[in-house]
Structure formats: C-alpha cells, structure tokens
Amino acid sequence: MTEIFTTLLIMVTTGAIIGGVTNYLAIKMIFKPYRAIYIGKWRLPFTPGLIPKRRGEMAEQMGKLVINHLLTPEGIQKKLQNERFQSMLTQFAVVEVEKKLKTEETLEQLLAQIDINEPTKMAEDKIGAFLEVKYENWMRTNQDVAMKEILPQKLVGKVEEQLPQLSNWIVQSAKNYFASEEGKESIQRMADDFVQKRSGMIKSMLQMFLGNVKLGEKLQPEIIKFLNHPGTEELLTSLLRKEWRKLLDKNIAEFESKIGRDSLLSIIKQTVFRFVQVHEIFQMPISQLTATIRPYIITELIPKATVGISKILADRISVLMEKMKLNEIVKEQVDSFSVERLEQMVFSIINKELRMITFLGALLGGLVGVFQGITAIWIL
C-alpha cells in the first residue's frame, strides 16, 4: 500500500511540476528573450520571444484596432453632439476665457506669451499695407472722376461757407504778424533785399528819395492799412473760392499728381492712426479693454462658438481623422516602446490571471499524474 501511495504521489508531483513549469515558461516566452540568441550562425529556436518577434505586426494591428473599433468617427461624432459634453465644454471654456478677460495683463503682454513681439508696429504695418491696397484700388477705379463728384455735397457746401471765416482768419493773422517787431523786421529785410538787387541808377534814386528813412518803416503802415481795408477780405475770399472751385473741377489723378501719392497716403495713415490709437490699445489691461463686451462674450459668444465648433468638428471628423492618420500614430508609439516597457504594461494588467494560468497548469499536470499513477498501478 505504501508503494502504491508513493508511486501515486511521485506521479502527481511530477505532473504538477511539469504542468506548472510548462505554463510558466510559455508565459515567459511571450516576451523573453528580448533578442534572438545565436550559436555561431545558428539561431536558437523560439528566440526572440513572441511579442518582440511580431512587434511590427502587433503595432500595425493595434493601430487598426484603435481606428476600426475604439476611436471610430461615429463614436467621436456622437460624443461631440452630446448635449452634456457640449455643456461641460462650454463651462470649461467660460471659466478659462473669463480668467483671461479679467486679467490685468496688457494685450501686449498677453501676445508676448505666444511669441508675438512688437504688436503695435505689426498692427500699424498691417493697417498701413491695407490702406495702401485700398488706396490703389480706389484710385484705379476713380482716377478720371472729378473731385466734386467724389466729395460729399455737404462737405463742399460747408467749405464754401467757411471761406469768409478763413479769409478773416488769414487777414487777422497777417495783421498781427506785420504789426509785431518780428513782422517789421521781416518787411525791412525784404525791402533791403529788393533795393540791393536793383541796378545802380535805380538803387541810387531809391536811396536819394528815402534818405535815412528805412523802407520797412514806410511799408509797414501801408501793409497794415491794406489788410484793414474791407475789400481785402472780400478779395481773398474771392481768390480762395476761385481756387477751391478749380480744385473741385480737377479729376482725382490730377489732384494726386499735385499733392503726390506718398503725401496723400501719409495724410490718410496719419488721420487713421490719430483716430485709432493702436499703441494705447495694446497697452490697455485686458480687463479694461474687454469690460463692455465681456458679458456678451461669456453669455452668448462662447456658448454659440462651442456649439458651432462641435458641429463643425462632428461634420468633418472623418476627414480630420483620415488626415491625422491615427493608426500610424498608434503604430509609431507602439514601435517606440521598449519590449521591457510593453512587458511591464501587460503584466501590470493581467499578472494575477497569468499566475492563475501557471497554477492551473500545475493542477492539470497533477490530475494527469493521478490518472497516470492509477493507470500504472492497475496495469502492474
């Protein structure tokens, strides 16, 4: 009886050891050895392990698995169109955008964070280039059109009304200037220059008539008297009106040739930049810059933008995923993993199950040992 029990025990133990070790080795051979082992030129069978040997195929299959069964266009599209997801996305966007809108950072500082430096110069250059293009296009279309057809009638009428006031201002400014010591000296310099440039006889006659009296002292009162005459303003107004109407009759091309293209563009740019203070805009805090429109951005713009962007992405997700080539991304990522890392990932997930497989092998081996032991005892 003892011999029978011993024989049966040996058979069971041997079967269990063989079953357990066999399964253990089979599991280990999935990854190990990591590289092929050579004896001379002869490669040892079953080296490298299954995963290292089929790593490329596994990476490719994983890429297809992700595209065909996990990250499908339909699944992502459904997620993007989900109201709960859109609501969550909107809340996230509102929180993040509101932080930026309430910051005391200036627009220039905010742009510097994304490597956009000297934004004022960039904006002015862009605006200047835009104005030049618009100017050139407008000139090509309107170069043969008369000025009076381009300018608004209200502006033309307003200028006509202001000509008498302009004449009055010019006359008053001239009187004030010529009545001053500076004006008196200017008259004297011009008079002296006039006398010096005359021929000898005329020069001598002028000096004889004037004697020691300076010509400027004689001319100053007469100039002021002329400026005080009521007809002076009327004459000046008439001349200004005449020149203004001549200007209105000129076409745009003639006007440009008189003023100069560069001068006109410079005037236009200066006028625009005077009304649009680009530098001040970039130096203002974001909170101040967006104060008036912040409620609209938070309550209306962001929710609408979130829904709109989700819809656009959902409609184009198939094309987007095709362009992204996610299967290639997955394949490259798997290829970049070391075999050791892959092994750690797999064993960290199914380590308990693999141990159970080893124990199951031992159990089955033990049962086979029992069967063999009973068979051997029965035969003997």
Side-chain angles (χ1 to χ4, degrees):
M1 188 68 180
T2 304
E3 291 180 359
I4 293 173
F5 179 76
T6 303
T7 302
L8 189 60
L9 181 62
I10 292 172
M11 288 287 190
V12 171
T13 304
T14 303
I17 292 172
I18 293 172
V21 171
T22 301
N23 280 13
Y24 176 81
L25 290 176
I27 291 169
K28 289 297 181 182
M29 285 175 67
I30 294 174
F31 286 96
K32 294 178 181 178
Y34 298 138
R35 296 171 185 81
I37 299 173
Y38 288 89
I39 301 175
K41 293 184 179 181
W42 181 69
R43 182 173 64 85
L44 193 65
F46 307 110
T47 64
L50 178 62
I51 296 298
K53 188 176 182 179
R54 299 294 182 90
R55 182 175 174 178
E57 295 177 28
M58 184 185 73
E60 186 173 349
Q61 290 301 320
M62 286 184 69
K64 291 179 180 179
L65 174 68
V66 169
I67 292 298
N68 296 331
H69 302 286
L70 300 180
L71 291 178
T72 62
E74 293 77 14
I76 297 176
Q77 190 176 50
K78 185 177 179 181
K79 186 68 175 178
L80 289 171
Q81 293 174 335
N82 183 274
E83 291 184 4
R84 185 177 177 184
F85 174 77
Q86 290 181 353
S87 176
M88 182 185 66
L89 192 62
T90 299
Q91 291 176 3
F92 172 78
V94 164
V95 171
E96 294 301 316
V97 172
E98 195 167 19
K99 285 180 185 177
K100 289 297 181 183
L101 294 180
K102 289 183 177 180
T103 181
E104 291 304 309
E105 288 183 318
T106 64
L107 182 57
E108 187 174 58
Q109 291 172 330
L110 186 65
L111 292 173
Q113 296 174 11
I114 53 176
D115 294 330
I116 298 178
N117 301 308
E118 298 184 350
T120 301
K121 183 178 181 304
M122 290 174 61
E124 289 180 348
D125 289 344
K126 292 290 185 184
I127 294 172
F130 172 79
L131 291 174
E132 287 186 25
V133 172
K134 288 296 181 182
Y135 173 84
E136 294 294 344
N137 293 338
W138 188 86
M139 282 299 298
R140 278 196 297 271
T141 306
N142 300 282
Q143 59 182 345
D144 296 325
V145 180
M147 290 287 294
K148 61 185 176 184
E149 295 179 20
I150 294 294
L151 296 176
Q153 288 302 311
K154 287 186 178 180
L155 176 61
V156 173
K158 192 70 175 176
V159 172
E160 291 271 1
E161 290 175 8
Q162 294 298 320
L163 288 178
Q165 286 86 339
L166 178 61
S167 299
N168 178 265
W169 178 80
I170 293 172
V171 169
Q172 292 301 323
S173 298
K175 282 194 297 185
N176 293 335
Y177 176 73
F178 287 119
S180 67
E181 286 299 320
E182 183 182 357
K184 185 177 180 180
E185 291 174 3
S186 297
I187 295 170
Q188 187 60 52
R189 283 197 300 271
M190 289 187 289
D192 291 342
D193 185 58
F194 173 77
V195 172
Q196 292 298 326
K197 289 182 178 179
R198 300 306 99 188
S199 60
M201 185 186 301
I202 297 174
K203 182 178 180 181
S204 299
M205 288 176 64
L206 288 170
Q207 289 175 343
M208 181 180 68
F209 282 118
L210 294 171
N212 293 327
V213 179
K214 290 184 177 181
L215 185 58
E217 293 177 357
K218 294 285 186 180
L219 291 174
Q220 186 188 33
E222 296 302 321
I223 292 173
I224 295 174
K225 183 179 178 181
F226 170 76
L227 293 172
N228 281 325
H229 193 281
T232 302
E233 284 190 23
E234 294 177 6
L235 175 63
L236 184 57
T237 301
S238 178
L239 290 172
L240 289 173
R241 184 173 286 113
K242 185 178 179 180
E243 291 302 316
W244 169 244
R245 288 174 180 174
K246 282 183 180 179
L247 177 63
L248 292 176
D249 289 331
K250 292 182 181 296
N251 59 37
I252 300 298
E254 289 179 287
F255 179 75
E256 184 190 42
S257 65
K258 290 287 184 184
I259 305 298
R261 173 187 176 277
D262 293 338
S263 297
L264 279 173
L265 271 173
S266 178
I267 292 169
I268 293 170
K269 290 179 182 179
Q270 287 174 10
T271 304
V272 171
F273 291 138
R274 188 160 54 246
F275 284 100
V276 183
Q277 297 292 330
V278 179
H279 177 72
E280 290 184 6
I281 291 173
F282 284 105
Q283 293 303 317
M284 288 175 65
I286 300 296
S287 58
Q288 182 180 345
L289 192 63
T290 62
T292 56
I293 61 172
R294 193 183 305 144
Y296 169 75
I297 293 174
I298 297 300
T299 60
E300 294 189 41
L301 185 59
I302 292 179
K304 289 179 180 177
T306 303
V307 173
I309 292 171
S310 298
K311 186 177 185 306
I312 292 171
L313 288 175
D315 292 341
R316 292 167 175 76
I317 193 64
S318 298
V319 177
L320 185 61
M321 290 181 67
E322 185 179 346
K323 296 290 184 184
M324 290 177 66
K325 298 182 178 178
L326 291 178
N327 59 327
E328 292 186 6
I329 295 175
V330 174
K331 182 178 182 299
E332 290 172 3
Q333 288 296 315
V334 174
D335 280 337
S336 66
F337 290 166
S338 65
V339 180
E340 292 87 343
R341 185 179 177 186
L342 284 173
E343 184 180 19
Q344 290 173 358
M345 289 171 59
V346 172
F347 276 94
S348 65
I349 298 170
I350 58 172
N351 191 40
K352 290 183 179 179
E353 286 74 10
L354 292 178
R355 282 203 302 268
M356 288 302 297
I357 290 172
T358 302
F359 294 147
L360 181 60
L363 177 61
L364 292 175
L367 292 175
V368 171
V370 170
F371 177 75
Q372 288 178 336
I374 293 173
T375 303
I377 292 169
W378 181 73
I379 291 173
L380 295 174

